[in-house]
Amino acid sequence: MTVEATSGLMYCYFSLKTALPRNNPGIRYRVSPKYGAFMPEQTAQTSRDVQNGTGMEMDDSAFSPPLHNTSTQQSAGFMTTLKAWLYRYRVLLLLLWVLGLVAIGYAGVERRFAVTDRHNLDKIVHVSVFAAMAFWPIMVCGRRLISVFFVIIVALGAPGLELMQAHFGNGRIASLADMSASLSGVAVGVIIAICLRRA
């Protein structure tokens, strides 16, 4: 073997050794029929396999925005639909609310509708009824001035009911504790309605 042939083989060996990258799993090599040497063959990359400078694979899902909770989206959509439906039929619903006020006044005066004070059951009834009456106009009309007007009417109904019992109660007597329970119910109804309207 001549010196020129030996030098040519050594040159090809060192050139090929220097040209081939090392420790890169993302690149395969094939024998080129034209040049008779190993040629790099870049593998197909997907959007999830991003090569960085060191040859390591990176998942692009780390850069994607977080997904919202599906149940939260469904709940928000339901509340939006409910509030729109309530406001659409607000006239009819407020008429039912007025009838409710009349029924409460009548039940407060009639002795046969009196609730026993055993285990503070009458206080629970006062809180529940007045909370519902304060809750209803805010849910129907939203946080508007007319809602404030209706809530004030309900709040004035607490002492008004006790005065009606004192004068037309047919044996029923006014109670400061009942009035306090009614006003507490108004506050509870307003808080619950505002929290639901913000949802």
Side-chain angles (χ1 to χ4, degrees):
M1 182 178 295
T2 62
V3 177
E4 291 78 3
T6 304
S7 300
L9 290 176
M10 294 295 294
Y11 175 79
C12 291
Y13 172 75
F14 286 108
S15 298
L16 184 61
K17 184 176 180 181
T18 305
L20 290 178
R22 301 178 180 178
N23 298 327
N24 195 339
I27 300 179
R28 295 195 300 267
Y29 302 95
R30 59 183 174 83
V31 178
S32 174
K34 181 177 180 180
Y35 300 102
F38 290 96
M39 302 298 294
E41 180 182 5
Q42 185 69 33
T43 59
Q45 294 184 1
T46 63
S47 61
R48 297 181 60 84
D49 300 329
V50 181
Q51 294 287 337
N52 61 4
T54 59
M56 301 297 293
E57 294 182 355
M58 299 176 60
D59 190 358
D60 63 347
S61 61
F63 302 99
S64 60
L67 297 177
H68 295 288
N69 195 342
T70 306
S71 61
T72 304
Q73 293 177 345
Q74 293 176 351
S75 177
F78 171 76
M79 288 304 302
T80 302
T81 305
L82 177 62
K83 288 184 287 189
W85 184 88
L86 290 174
Y87 189 72
R88 180 179 180 182
Y89 297 100
R90 62 190 180 278
V91 176
L92 177 61
L93 295 174
L94 289 176
L95 287 176
L96 294 175
W97 177 80
V98 172
L99 292 177
L101 285 180
V102 174
I104 292 172
Y106 178 74
V109 173
E110 282 293 324
R111 186 174 183 180
R112 56 182 175 177
F113 295 112
V115 180
T116 178
D117 57 355
R118 187 178 182 182
H119 303 297
N120 292 325
L121 183 60
D122 59 336
K123 306 301 184 294
I124 296 175
V125 172
H126 277 268
V127 171
S128 303
V129 170
F130 277 83
M133 298 308 295
F135 170 86
W136 194 246
I138 297 177
M139 282 301 297
V140 172
C141 300
R143 288 176 291 175
R144 294 177 173 86
L145 187 60
I146 190 173
S147 301
V148 177
F149 173 73
F150 289 140
V151 171
I152 292 175
I153 290 178
V154 177
L156 292 177
L161 183 61
E162 301 304 319
L163 291 176
M164 289 173 60
Q165 289 180 354
H167 292 282
F168 314 103
N170 192 17
R172 302 188 63 175
I173 59 175
S175 172
L176 184 61
D178 290 346
M179 186 182 69
S180 301
S182 300
L183 292 175
S184 300
V186 173
V188 170
V190 170
I191 293 173
I192 295 176
I194 291 176
C195 293
L196 288 179
R197 290 290 302 187
R198 289 180 177 178

